[in-house]
Amino acid sequence: MSTAERLIESTRELLWERGYAATSPKAIQQRAGVGQGSMYHHFAGKPDLALAAISRTAEEMRAKAEAQFSAPGTAVERITSYLLREREVLRGCPIGGLTQDPDLMADPALRAPVEETLAWLRGRLAEVVAEGRGIGELDAALDPQATAATIVAVLQGGYVLARAADSVAPFDQAIAGVLGLLAAHTSIADR
């Protein structure tokens, strides 16, 4: 792995563990095993490096989600697959968790990939819901945008509940609840 890659990966890990404000350039350098000169050779500073790390995390999150959203199966099966995929629940969402960092959210450049990723997720889920609705799998009265926003809110809230309880049980319960609500709007033929 190149020096720049080690810096990006170290920053990704530290942002997930500590958040932006608590991630110092020195901690990044130590985790990456590089000196200050190497860091500033590749990146203009902490914000530039953080942007590269957040963007990489966002790209990976989108790719994983898209693999499930575009897989074969019904709309409900694909949404279920996305919601039930393996996650490090007690660590929280590597993108959603960043919204709790006031320094990061105050910086429009750093906030952009977080905001874009969550908007993409809502949009992509809305497309899958609309597809299911269009073929009669889901109730025609189901609003795709509102449903997508609800799914994302439950997922992110599930992380918060799990971390607060130091248990994955509240996360699993939240996901089971939203899947139950979605199943209630599945056509009789698909039940």
Side-chain angles (χ1 to χ4, degrees):
M1 190 181 301
S2 72
T3 300
E5 286 298 311
R6 287 197 325 265
L7 285 163
I8 291 170
E9 289 305 311
S10 295
T11 303
R12 289 178 63 192
E13 293 169 10
L14 288 166
L15 288 173
W16 198 7
E17 291 169 14
R18 303 177 182 182
Y20 181 74
T23 297
S24 69
K26 183 174 180 124
I28 295 167
Q29 294 160 20
Q30 288 175 337
R31 175 85 50 110
V34 303
Q36 182 176 356
S38 293
M39 181 175 154
Y40 291 102
H41 172 75
H42 293 285
F43 300 95
K46 177 182 164 182
D48 185 41
L49 179 51
L51 181 59
I54 295 165
S55 296
R56 171 88 50 85
T57 299
E59 289 167 15
E60 284 185 8
M61 185 174 151
R62 288 182 197 186
K64 285 180 185 176
E66 183 56 39
Q68 288 157 325
F69 295 147
S70 60
T74 67
V76 173
E77 287 170 345
R78 290 179 283 145
I79 292 169
T80 300
S81 175
Y82 168 71
L83 291 173
L84 294 180
R85 81 171 186 219
E86 189 172 322
R87 302 169 194 273
E88 294 184 64
V89 173
L90 293 180
R91 288 186 74 190
C93 176
I95 290 294
L98 295 174
T99 64
Q100 299 302 309
D101 193 314
D103 291 343
L104 191 141
M105 289 291 101
D107 184 323
L110 295 176
R111 185 181 65 244
V114 174
E115 185 177 0
E116 290 164 6
T117 299
L118 293 173
W120 174 87
L121 182 57
R122 288 190 316 273
R124 193 64 182 93
L125 275 163
E127 289 172 5
V128 176
V129 170
E131 179 185 323
R133 197 176 78 163
I135 61 171
E137 174 192 352
L138 291 168
D139 186 339
L142 198 61
D143 179 86
Q145 287 77 29
T147 303
T150 300
I151 292 168
V152 173
V154 169
L155 179 65
Q156 292 301 317
Y159 282 118
V160 171
L161 295 172
R163 290 185 67 154
D166 195 27
S167 167
V168 299
F171 179 90
D172 292 343
Q173 186 178 33
I175 298 305
V178 79
L179 288 174
L181 292 172
L182 194 58
H185 291 280
T186 303
S187 70
I188 301 295
D190 290 332
R191 287 186 192 178

